[in-house]
Amino acid sequence: CLMDNMLHLPALAMLFLSSVVCAQGQKNAAIPEPSATPSLAIGRGLSLFGGAVLGLSFWLRWAGDRAMRLSERESNPRRRLELLGKAARIYPEDAAIREQLAQDWLLVDPPQPQTALEELRRAARSSPLRALYPLMQAEILDAVRPRDALDLTHRAIALEPNYLNARLLRARIWATTGNRAAARRELKETLARRQSLSNRGGRARRGYESLILGLDEKLLKSVERAAR
């Protein structure tokens, strides 16, 4: 359990060491009796153990962060997978690492969609409110398991009703599976939401917000063709 989240180790080690130091201070306040010697030895041993845990935790954090930095500069997807795999072993519940692993499994030759899907499922378990992960899964399954892909678009839209690309993908799946009426309604709703969001104006959107509220023009054109 302790290894599940390395970020907890420094705090646990510091808490542990502080209690040992306090105990040592109390013992040092008076000349120890011979009978107290074993407890002092135990205290020193525990202190050394706490220091080792603290050092290990910082080393693991450094190694994980270094692997992620190197992966960002690496152009070869196979090499990126190696580096990200190291980071994932240190940060097993980091959704962003799982997301990047999924993307790289789709870029290798040959692509590995099943492995990518598993990484995205793990990312979704770590970050269940992030609508991006069900949509990424739906994009992989669209051509081979459209019913499952449709369910995933429903999930993404339930999390983010203004997720425009999720709505477009849902419309395209409906169109390609014979429900063109539903596809046209969804397309109309998507365009209305885009117009409403555009009318609001405001600050420039970045990061996750830009992913949710952005619209893929190529996907839009494919939906318009399929929904005719």
Side-chain angles (χ1 to χ4, degrees):
C1 294
L2 186 62
M3 297 298 288
D4 285 343
N5 192 339
M6 294 300 172
L7 298 180
H8 290 169
L9 287 175
L12 290 171
M14 291 301 293
L15 180 62
F16 181 79
L17 284 172
S18 64
S19 63
V20 170
V21 168
C22 289
Q24 288 284 76
Q26 291 176 354
K27 290 289 184 181
N28 292 336
I31 297 174
E33 297 294 331
S35 60
T37 302
S39 64
L40 285 174
I42 292 171
R44 291 192 188 98
L46 292 175
S47 180
L48 289 172
F49 173 75
V53 170
L54 184 61
L56 175 63
S57 69
F58 282 118
W59 181 86
L60 287 169
R61 177 180 290 185
W62 173 85
D65 291 347
R66 180 175 182 273
M68 287 188 286
R69 287 195 302 272
L70 290 173
S71 72
E72 291 169 359
R73 297 197 295 267
E74 181 59 58
S75 59
N76 186 308
R78 284 285 180 187
R79 177 59 180 152
R80 280 201 305 271
L81 285 171
E82 292 176 11
L83 292 165
L84 288 167
K86 292 178 182 178
R89 286 191 289 274
I90 296 170
Y91 301 117
E93 303 303 320
D94 190 304
I97 295 175
R98 298 293 173 186
E99 176 188 339
Q100 188 59 56
L101 281 167
Q103 293 174 351
D104 285 333
W105 280 117
L106 295 174
L107 292 175
V108 296
D109 186 19
Q112 302 292 322
Q114 289 302 320
T115 307
L117 280 170
E118 182 54 37
E119 294 293 353
L120 289 170
R121 292 187 188 107
R122 294 187 69 169
R125 287 196 293 270
S126 296
S127 188
L129 300 181
R130 194 172 175 85
L132 174 64
Y133 300 139
L135 180 63
M136 291 177 70
Q137 293 176 68
E139 290 169 342
I140 295 172
L141 293 172
D142 178 21
V144 292
R145 287 159 48 190
R147 288 184 180 275
D148 291 339
L150 186 61
D151 289 341
L152 287 160
T153 63
H154 294 333
R155 191 182 308 168
I157 293 164
L159 290 169
E160 295 283 359
N162 285 325
Y163 202 165
L164 300 181
N165 285 333
R167 288 185 173 276
L168 284 179
L169 184 58
R170 180 162 72 175
R172 189 174 72 182
I173 295 170
W174 271 328
T176 56
T177 54
N179 195 347
R180 286 187 172 82
R184 286 192 287 269
R185 286 194 299 271
E186 187 67 82
L187 177 58
K188 182 179 179 181
E189 175 66 19
T190 303
L191 295 176
R193 285 176 179 268
R194 180 174 71 165
Q195 186 61 50
S196 175
L197 291 166
S198 177
N199 290 340
R200 294 179 194 176
R203 60 181 173 78
R205 300 183 179 97
R206 298 178 181 178
Y208 182 69
E209 188 180 16
S210 69
L211 287 172
I212 297 300
L213 303 181
L215 189 143
D216 184 336
E217 294 293 339
K218 185 177 179 180
L219 178 58
L220 173 60
K221 287 182 172 58
S222 74
V223 174
E224 289 173 336
R225 288 193 300 269
R228 288 174 185 165

